[in-house]
Amino acid sequence: MDFANLGAQLNAGTILPEGVVILTLLVILVGDLIVGRTSSRWTPYVAIAGLVGSLTALFYQWDISDPIGFLGGFNSDALSIVFRGIIALSAAVTIPMAIRYIEQSGTSLAEFLVILLTATLGGMFLAGADELVMIFVSLETLSISSYLLTGYMKRDPRSNEAALKYLLIGAASSAIFLYGVSLLYGLSGGETNLNAIASNIVAQGSEPPIGLVIALVFVIAGIAFKIAAVPFHQWTPDVYEGSPTPVVAFLSVGSKAAGFALAIRLLVTAFPLVADEWRFVFTALAVLSMVLGNVVALAQTSMKRMLAYSSIGQAGFVMIGLIVGTDAGYASMVFYMLVYLFMNLGGFTCVILFSLRTGTDQISEYSGLYQKDPLLTLGLSVCLLSLGGIPPLAGFFGKLYLFWAGWQAGAYGLVLVGLVTSVISIYYYIRVVKMMVVKEPQEMSDAVKNYPEVRWTLPGMRPLQVSLVLAVVATSLAGILSNPLFTLANNSVTNTPLLQSSVAMTQDAGAPVQLADAEINQ
Amino acid sequence: MMEPIYQYAWLIPVLPLLGAAIIGIGLLLFGDKTYQYRKSISGFLVFLVGATMVLSFALLWSQVQGHAPYTALSEWATAGDFHLKMGYTVDHLTAMMLVVVTTVAFLVMVYTDGYMSHDPGYVRFYSYLSLFSSSMLGLVVSPNMVQIYIFWELVGMCSYLLVGFWYERKAAAAACQKAFVTNRVGDFGMLLGILALYALTQTFEFGEMGDRLQTLVQSGSLSAALASLCAILIFLGPVAKSAQFPLHVWLPDAMEGPTPISALIHAATMVAAGVFLVARIFPVFEGLPVAMNVIAWTGAFTAFLGASIAITQNDIKKGLAYSTMSQLGYMMMALGVGSFGGGLFHLMTHAYFKAMLFLGSGSVIHGMEAVVGHDPVLAQDMRLMGGLRKYMPVTAATFLIGTLAISGIPPFAGFWSKDEILGSAFAVNPALWVIGWLTAGITAFYMFRMYFSTFEGEFRGNDAEIRQQLKNENLQKLGLAFGPGAMNSQELTLEAEHEAEAHDADHGAHSEFPHESPLVMIAPLMVLAVPSVLIGLVGTPFANYFEEFIHPTGEAMPTLAEFDWTEFVLMAGSSVAIAVVGIVLAYLMYIKRKIDPAAIARKIQPLYQLSLNKWYIDEIYHTVFVQGTLRLAKQVLSADIKFVDGIVNLTGLATMVSGEGLKYFETGRAQFYALIIFAAVLGIAITSSVI
């Protein structure tokens, strides 16, 4: 049997975007080995080009006729394409901000890029994985490269500590997840394909076995660890604080997006029998995340820790879309992730820039920044205000859509909690903005007083500037011109057969769904 | 053949807007540097308005030739089956209004060059003027209620900017706020009315709205009372904008703005917007007798109120302002009694002669400032004027023409339009006619009083005693008890300040006698004098071209054919007679001094005070609304501080405390984290299994 035939049988074209990433990764790895350290001049751009190529490949896969590849192991439906796109894009935006950071720390850039691309690869496979083994392998690819990235600053004890903690907690949750998966395997009579599992379990009887609930809880523990939902969030602040900031940026967007993709696919496909249970568990997780994430963020003094807690809170908001399980709910998740990508990465870009120039990330050190660096102040303000959901920035429309979807579906309590906690979140975001724009020179912090002259000509600074401007522009414009993103999010949901059948089921089951699809499709 | 001018009719509002935008941006970017190019800037803006004027005349000509009305629409917003269209429409009414607005705007902009030539805000003033012209023209060409409302608000905003043009003057700052707030009251009612009518008729188009409303009322599915309520709500907008009682209080105060503004906005265009709107949605009002009566009586009462106050005003601009209010009342009354053509005819004639009168008063003030300095208290007071005809012959002649026109002396423009209104009022309700007729007499009296005390007799501008008296009166108005024995230290400082101000102002005074204004100012006066004399001839009762032109298409023409000479002579004769009586009275009082006005004032002290204090309406509003609102606001504030703030602070405190507390769960120990994960899994598993 020749390769072409094999490829056709496996429908290998579905993983073309991942193939591009793998190729890029190899080029960088081998190129770095051959050329040596000077490779850092071109490797980042190769990596970005590879990711853009991967995005292009994803774009052309949008209307693919047969999305199932590798004998049911991989599913390249519209939902997975959107999430893979988000992950690849987040990596592509992370790279420009990492160049200067890694250079300044004196470590090798190419290796960093290779590990980052591996993590991206794991995330992308996870977003499309339709089979238990595939899920676990790609989850571990993502996790292990994340641990490596976290500990990338080898000489920094905080980075080491973060990596170790992340590894330990990650291993524990992986173990739980694996246990849950194995239960699922057993209950379904030896199936690994998600659809087969669901149909086998349904075929066994009407009443869901108690083991299924246990499996569900264990699986959720694994997912919740990835998306840092309370109470599985405790690693987040420590890891975020210790890791290199670009890594944090990637973890907070790319890795989370992969987690959400996994959550949708796994829960919707494999656990239709216990849909009420997983909705209930996620409601609890969402409420806890929104409340705890936003409340504790108030008390933080370090910018990175504050953003860590804020990302926990943001994940709580996104979970609302997952819980309501309607077309609008899923679409609002996708929309919010797209918007969140830009505003959060933009925020991190600013934090990186500030710490590169001053060597600190204490919130109090930001005071008076406006007078020294207006661009940075503007960028950070726009991103933070957008995260807080201030109109007319993108974050406002993202939240609006999430809450609207939740309200339409009757999840009043959740939406109210979301509203109250987002008001709380505005406080800590605006506190930073207010601090930056204080007028009196005597209120200026020491770090800002000694602020170096703004120079963009240093190596690695130009990409940072580009990525900052890009994120700020996207954050400001995505709100007003949100229609393309909105359409994309809606189409990705309506084109996904898996979600369509689940939406139909929830409506048949008489779940509290009073959503008029016509209203969204207008 | 005429199509191109219709296709490009959208340029009419857009050209001045473009000018305003370009100059406005330049002003923002370069600030005071624009001042050195001010002549070219003003030339550019005047040129743009001139271009729109030419286009407007072309449109009017084409409409007179019988071109069908033209409407261009494009989709603006769509949501479900809700479609909102924007565009422009040109019909007879629009064409007439376009010509009126553009000619007055053009002349006022020319005049401004002279009047504002020494003002540092010259460029800003021109860009505001241009913006205003654009808004007003946009309002005139609007094809539906929503668009009208948008431009309505824009016009209001421009008025705010222009009245408060000299924002460093306290009175101007207060006046522009008063104008804005008063207009908001009316606009709110209007918005409610528009929305209510939309809810009832599902349309924003004028014609359709009226038709459907009539059908609804006739079929009985809508009570006439409710329909009338909606119509009256809409009418609140015109009440505020056209300074009708009870929302007229802003107009006299708005005279704090520069005089060209008073001529353009507060005499000819913006205040006429209310009348225009009522005419525009005439189909809505027409079939609702209650609403029509409300309009007619509001108009009649306003006409009388304005005239009665104008008698005792000494400020030349304030006097003209009350007269404007009174004339607008006439127009409303005409529309209220169903005389569509009469109201609009008076709107047109009044626009020309009142703009001329205001510009004339500006010319007078300009001349007086040479003598008394830049102090509005002195420069605008008629008691300091007198005998100005000697010094400013052109201004005096045009002012006299305007005075004759407004008094309704044939063959001046005002005679024909006022006569038509009085005629139609008589046909509907003689009581309305009596009010209108009496008001006509009062009008003639106060206008000639104004003319005589300004232009005839001896010049009193250098009389120090009168100056001091005026200043004292002004101080008294500011709320000081002034007189021997009532002095305290605060007054002394106030007076000192005032002296200083006056001293500054005296710098502007450089001659003993006023002088005629420059050509750029008197030329517009002379141009405006032409229509003030002649324009009435298009609407004479025996050959009423105007009525024929303006009357809504598709409706039966009123029977004009049987023109009754006896009736005309009776009606016209009586109104001319009472006007002559007014003029003679004014002549006897202010020229011959046979009758002492002061003695009369003493005899009817309460009535005199009532008129002088503007029927105490401002005071009543102050007590009821301003102080009432303040009291309410204070109570709400105290409730807010005690109750709402308490809750908010408590929440904030609770959040901070819990945040501080919860952060200690982050111990940093990995085993503890793992423990929490396992505990959470266990807890969730147990809870979900139990449920």
Side-chain angles (χ1 to χ4, degrees):
Chain A
M1 199 187 282
D2 56 302
F3 266 116
N5 218 339
L6 186 68
Q9 270 188 352
L10 291 177
N11 198 4
T14 48
I15 61 157
L16 180 68
E18 284 76 10
V20 177
V21 176
I22 294 177
L23 197 69
T24 319
L25 191 156
L26 288 175
V27 167
I28 294 173
L29 192 61
V30 176
D32 182 53
L33 280 178
I34 297 169
V35 184
R37 292 219 71 164
T38 53
S39 69
S40 66
R41 256 181 287 151
W42 52 268
T43 40
Y45 304 105
V46 172
I48 293 173
L51 288 166
V52 171
S54 168
L55 283 170
T56 322
L58 281 170
F59 178 75
Y60 283 108
Q61 286 207 343
W62 184 252
D63 283 325
I64 198 168
S65 56
D66 176 20
I68 310 291
F70 293 87
L71 311 174
F74 190 79
N75 192 343
S76 179
D77 54 12
L79 185 75
S80 93
I81 288 179
V82 165
F83 272 103
R84 282 146 81 199
I86 294 174
I87 296 162
L89 195 59
S90 72
V93 182
T94 308
I95 291 170
M97 60 173 105
I99 301 173
R100 178 74 198 161
Y101 193 92
I102 303 293
E103 293 269 306
Q104 201 152 325
S105 70
T107 36
S108 160
L109 184 59
E111 285 161 30
F112 178 83
L113 292 174
V114 169
I115 304 174
L116 181 69
L117 286 179
T118 316
T120 313
L121 199 62
M124 287 171 80
F125 273 125
L126 189 60
D130 219 2
E131 202 250 351
L132 291 179
V133 178
M134 180 82 187
I135 289 176
F136 189 69
V137 170
S138 39
L139 183 64
E140 283 306 290
T141 314
L142 174 60
S143 300
I144 292 170
S145 15
S146 303
Y147 308 149
L148 289 173
L149 285 173
T150 311
Y152 198 72
M153 300 289 120
K154 279 169 289 208
R155 298 184 198 84
D156 182 354
R158 283 190 313 161
S159 178
N160 285 324
E161 184 197 332
L164 190 64
K165 268 187 195 159
Y166 196 16
L167 173 68
L168 288 173
I169 310 293
S173 72
S174 284
I176 298 173
F177 181 74
L178 192 57
Y179 191 33
V181 167
S182 71
L183 274 176
L184 211 50
Y185 178 73
L187 286 169
S188 65
E191 287 291 345
T192 54
N193 188 293
L194 295 183
N195 291 308
I197 290 173
S199 50
N200 270 12
I201 294 179
V202 170
Q204 281 165 17
S206 57
E207 196 63 24
I210 186 81
L212 190 63
V213 177
I214 304 290
L216 172 73
V217 172
F218 283 18
V219 164
I220 288 180
I223 297 170
F225 167 76
K226 266 275 154 267
I227 59 178
V230 179
F232 303 96
H233 70 288
Q234 299 229 308
W235 58 276
T236 330
D238 289 1
V239 169
Y240 279 21
E241 196 181 13
S243 324
T245 320
V247 175
V248 180
F250 178 73
L251 287 182
S252 71
V253 179
S255 175
K256 262 190 196 185
F260 276 114
L262 171 67
I264 297 178
R265 194 170 296 279
L266 189 56
L267 294 174
V268 170
T269 324
F271 294 99
L273 268 185
V274 283
D276 288 347
E277 278 82 356
W278 73 253
R279 296 232 151 85
F280 165 75
V281 173
F282 263 97
T283 309
L285 295 183
V287 170
L288 282 173
S289 301
M290 286 190 280
V291 172
L292 196 118
N294 286 316
V295 168
V296 180
L298 288 174
Q300 299 306 317
T301 53
S302 149
M303 192 74 182
K304 271 160 85 178
R305 275 186 95 90
M306 188 198 91
L307 285 174
Y309 279 106
S310 115
S311 83
I312 294 172
Q314 301 278 353
F317 295 136
V318 178
M319 275 184 251
I320 295 178
L322 177 65
I323 294 160
V324 298
T326 57
D327 263 351
Y330 294 124
S332 64
M333 276 178 85
V334 173
F335 184 74
Y336 199 80
M337 285 313 292
L338 281 167
V339 168
Y340 178 67
L341 186 152
F342 288 110
M343 57 194 186
N344 209 36
L345 290 183
F348 273 110
T349 311
C350 298
V351 173
I352 290 173
L353 203 53
F354 186 77
S355 66
L356 282 177
R357 285 180 182 155
T358 60
T360 172
D361 76 330
Q362 288 300 305
I363 294 175
S364 55
E365 298 290 342
Y366 279 81
S367 68
L369 184 62
Y370 174 68
Q371 291 168 35
K372 291 291 175 77
D373 195 342
L375 175 70
L376 182 54
T377 310
L378 174 76
L380 192 53
S381 304
V382 167
C383 291
L384 289 181
L385 292 177
S386 179
L387 281 168
I390 307 286
L393 300 166
F396 168 73
F397 292 95
K399 275 207 182 114
L400 191 70
Y401 192 21
L402 271 174
F403 292 158
W404 177 80
W407 194 263
Q408 288 286 314
Y412 304 120
L414 265 179
V415 173
L416 284 178
V417 172
L419 284 172
V420 170
T421 49
S422 63
V423 169
I424 296 177
S425 77
I426 291 172
Y427 173 77
Y428 60 79
Y429 291 126
I430 286 199
R431 192 171 55 138
V432 179
V433 176
K434 185 192 143 210
M435 205 162 258
M436 286 191 293
V437 296
V438 290
K439 285 223 179 73
E440 287 73 19
Q442 69 270 16
E443 284 179 39
M444 215 183 266
S445 68
D446 292 337
V448 172
K449 272 182 196 148
N450 302 325
Y451 202 74
E453 193 193 339
V454 177
R455 277 193 302 166
W456 294 107
T457 46
L458 290 172
M461 285 307 257
R462 197 57 73 179
L464 198 56
Q465 188 190 20
V466 171
S467 108
L468 169 66
V469 171
L470 190 79
V472 170
V473 169
T475 308
S476 334
L477 291 188
I480 307 156
L481 307 172
S482 57
N483 223 24
L485 289 184
F486 192 69
T487 320
L488 174 71
N490 273 329
N491 286 347
S492 72
V493 173
T494 43
N495 289 352
T496 306
L498 146 79
L499 296 181
Q500 289 310 303
S501 56
S502 108
V503 167
M505 267 176 53
T506 32
Q507 275 164 352
D508 291 344
V513 177
Q514 291 112 24
L515 188 87
D517 284 349
E519 274 179 60
I520 320 157
N521 294 337
Q522 268 173 17
Chain B
M1 185 194 94
M2 297 302 265
E3 280 306 315
I5 58 164
Y6 285 93
Q7 275 158 17
Y8 287 99
W10 54 269
L11 280 174
I12 292 178
V14 168
L15 278 182
L17 177 70
L18 211 65
I22 293 171
I23 303 306
I25 290 169
L27 206 57
L28 285 179
L29 291 182
F30 303 110
D32 291 340
K33 280 179 213 147
T34 47
Y35 189 70
Q36 48 188 311
Y37 304 109
R38 61 211 178 99
K39 288 290 171 189
S40 22
I41 287 171
S42 62
F44 172 60
L45 294 177
V46 171
F47 167 75
L48 288 180
V49 172
T52 62
M53 180 171 73
V54 172
L55 197 50
S56 305
F57 269 113
L59 285 172
L60 178 68
W61 179 246
S62 148
Q63 287 289 325
V64 169
Q65 294 298 309
H67 192 287
Y70 180 91
T71 304
L73 291 173
S74 64
E75 198 96 330
W76 189 55
T78 314
D81 50 357
F82 171 80
H83 295 275
L84 192 51
K85 298 202 162 145
M86 291 282 153
Y88 60 93
T89 187
V90 180
D91 56 8
H92 292 185
L93 178 60
T94 306
M96 179 211 88
M97 284 298 288
L98 283 178
V99 167
V100 171
V101 173
T102 49
T103 44
V104 175
F106 178 77
L107 291 170
V108 164
M109 281 175 89
V110 171
Y111 176 93
T112 301
D113 178 58
Y115 192 80
M116 302 291 282
S117 60
H118 301 299
D119 197 287
Y122 182 90
V123 178
R124 184 163 60 97
F125 191 72
Y126 262 100
S127 58
Y128 284 173
L129 270 183
S130 205
L131 184 63
F132 170 79
S133 312
S134 161
S135 322
M136 187 66 208
L137 293 168
L139 186 134
V140 171
V141 298
S142 295
N144 59 38
M145 287 306 282
V146 176
Q147 200 175 332
I148 268 207
Y149 186 75
I150 293 171
F151 283 104
W152 188 269
E153 293 296 334
L154 266 177
V155 164
M157 185 200 77
C158 291
S159 161
Y160 171 82
L161 291 174
L162 284 163
V163 171
F165 183 75
W166 286 318
Y167 49 82
E168 64 278 9
R169 277 193 200 165
K170 222 175 158 190
C176 69
Q177 282 177 25
K178 186 169 176 181
F180 198 71
V181 171
T182 316
N183 270 297
R184 291 302 315 157
V185 176
D187 295 351
F188 183 65
M190 177 169 150
L191 184 60
L192 285 182
I194 293 176
L195 294 177
L197 279 182
Y198 178 74
L200 294 174
T201 62
Q202 299 299 317
T203 178
F204 287 120
E205 315 290 322
F206 310 115
E208 277 177 44
M209 202 179 238
D211 293 347
R212 289 191 196 168
L213 198 69
Q214 305 309 343
T215 331
L216 282 174
V217 172
Q218 273 158 17
S219 69
S221 54
L222 177 71
S223 77
L226 186 62
S228 305
L229 181 70
C230 297
I232 291 167
L233 276 175
I234 286 200
F235 179 59
L236 274 180
V239 165
K241 196 119 302 183
S242 290
Q244 301 294 296
F245 176 80
L247 296 176
H248 64 278
V249 289
W250 64 273
L251 185 63
D253 288 29
M255 295 302 134
E256 290 296 337
T259 312
I261 290 317
S262 311
L264 176 62
I265 300 188
H266 304 126
T269 56
M270 186 185 86
V271 288
V275 179
F276 168 75
L277 182 70
V278 174
R280 201 28 132 187
I281 52 169
F282 205 61
V284 172
F285 294 112
E286 217 170 8
L288 301 167
V290 179
M292 290 295 269
N293 272 333
V294 168
I295 296 175
W297 281 101
T298 309
F301 182 70
T302 310
F304 180 73
L305 178 76
S308 70
I309 297 174
I311 299 178
T312 53
Q313 295 304 309
N314 288 315
D315 185 317
I316 185 166
K317 280 178 76 182
K318 286 255 164 80
L320 285 174
Y322 281 107
S323 121
T324 304
M325 184 181 138
S326 163
Q327 299 298 314
L328 290 166
Y330 269 117
M331 298 175 211
M332 282 297 177
M333 183 170 87
L335 292 172
V337 297
S339 171
F340 182 82
L344 288 171
F345 190 32
H346 198 56
L347 188 161
M348 180 172 74
T349 56
H350 174 258
Y352 288 118
F353 65 68
K354 187 50 75 61
M356 183 177 69
L357 284 171
F358 262 113
L359 293 182
S361 78
S363 172
V364 167
I365 294 165
H366 191 75
M368 284 299 288
E369 275 175 349
V371 182
V372 298
H374 293 281
D375 184 352
V377 176
L378 300 179
Q380 300 183 8
D381 203 295
M382 291 187 289
R383 280 168 287 183
L384 273 178
M385 299 173 185
L388 291 184
R389 188 158 56 90
K390 242 186 299 176
Y391 311 105
M392 346 179 58
V394 180
T395 309
T398 49
F399 204 93
L400 179 61
I401 293 174
T403 311
L404 287 167
I406 198 173
S407 307
I409 302 298
F412 295 94
F415 165 73
W416 304 106
S417 49
K418 198 179 274 187
D419 184 60
E420 190 174 341
I421 293 175
L422 288 178
S424 32
F426 188 74
V428 172
N429 188 342
L432 286 172
W433 177 80
V434 170
I435 297 177
W437 179 74
L438 261 178
T439 308
I442 305 174
T443 307
F445 172 75
Y446 71 72
M447 281 312 295
F448 270 92
R449 165 179 179 265
M450 194 179 282
Y451 174 76
F452 288 144
S453 23
T454 309
F455 293 102
E456 305 293 339
E458 290 301 311
F459 184 60
R460 303 178 286 272
N462 295 316
D463 191 331
E465 203 177 310
I466 303 183
R467 283 196 195 187
Q468 194 54 45
Q469 183 203 342
L470 293 183
K471 282 183 184 173
N472 291 351
E473 269 179 24
N474 187 49
L475 279 181
Q476 260 172 347
K477 246 194 262 172
L478 292 175
L480 292 178
F482 203 79
M487 284 279 203
N488 64 31
S489 54
Q490 193 197 2
E491 276 166 19
L492 278 174
T493 48
L494 257 174
E495 197 186 11
E497 272 171 32
H498 200 76
E499 289 282 309
E501 259 176 48
H503 187 68
D504 284 344
D506 277 342
H507 282 304
H510 45 69
S511 70
E512 204 175 334
F513 295 105
H515 56 76
E516 180 62 289
S517 301
L519 180 68
V520 70
M521 282 170 73
I522 53 175
L525 287 176
M526 293 189 281
V527 175
L528 279 170
V530 177
S532 301
V533 178
L534 299 178
I535 198 94
L537 298 177
V538 302
T540 55
F542 31 87
N544 203 335
Y545 304 111
F546 185 84
E547 177 84 29
E548 213 169 310
F549 173 67
I550 205 72
H551 208 269
T553 40
E555 277 190 39
M557 285 288 296
T559 46
L560 282 176
E562 318 122 41
F563 170 67
D564 189 347
W565 271 104
T566 35
E567 197 191 313
F568 170 69
V569 169
L570 257 177
M571 296 298 302
S574 55
S575 61
V576 171
I578 192 158
V580 171
V581 169
I583 296 169
V584 169
L585 261 178
Y587 182 75
L588 290 177
M589 279 187 183
Y590 295 97
I591 298 289
K592 289 286 159 201
R593 310 240 166 240
K594 286 269 169 60
I595 308 172
D596 183 13
I600 298 177
R602 269 194 299 279
K603 232 177 248 170
I604 48 163
Q605 190 67 14
L607 284 178
Y608 175 74
Q609 286 297 335
L610 186 67
S611 166
L612 188 67
N613 290 301
K614 304 146 197 171
W615 293 43
Y616 297 100
I617 289 172
D618 272 332
E619 282 74 10
I620 294 170
Y621 284 1
H622 185 76
T623 325
V624 177
F625 295 114
V626 179
Q627 287 184 347
T629 314
L630 279 177
R631 246 196 317 279
L632 185 71
K634 270 183 198 146
Q635 281 159 2
V636 172
L637 179 69
S638 68
D640 182 61
I641 289 175
K642 280 178 197 143
F643 185 67
V644 183
D645 281 15
I647 293 179
V648 172
N649 289 339
L650 195 68
T651 325
L653 194 69
T655 319
M656 291 305 281
V657 167
S658 52
E660 290 289 337
L662 283 169
K663 99 177 161 184
Y664 293 106
F665 272 93
E666 289 292 326
T667 54
R669 284 161 59 198
Q671 27 322 20
F672 181 65
Y673 293 175
L675 178 70
I676 287 194
I677 288 186
F678 287 115
V681 169
L682 199 65
I684 294 174
I686 291 170
T687 349
S688 345
S689 315
V690 168
I691 285 173

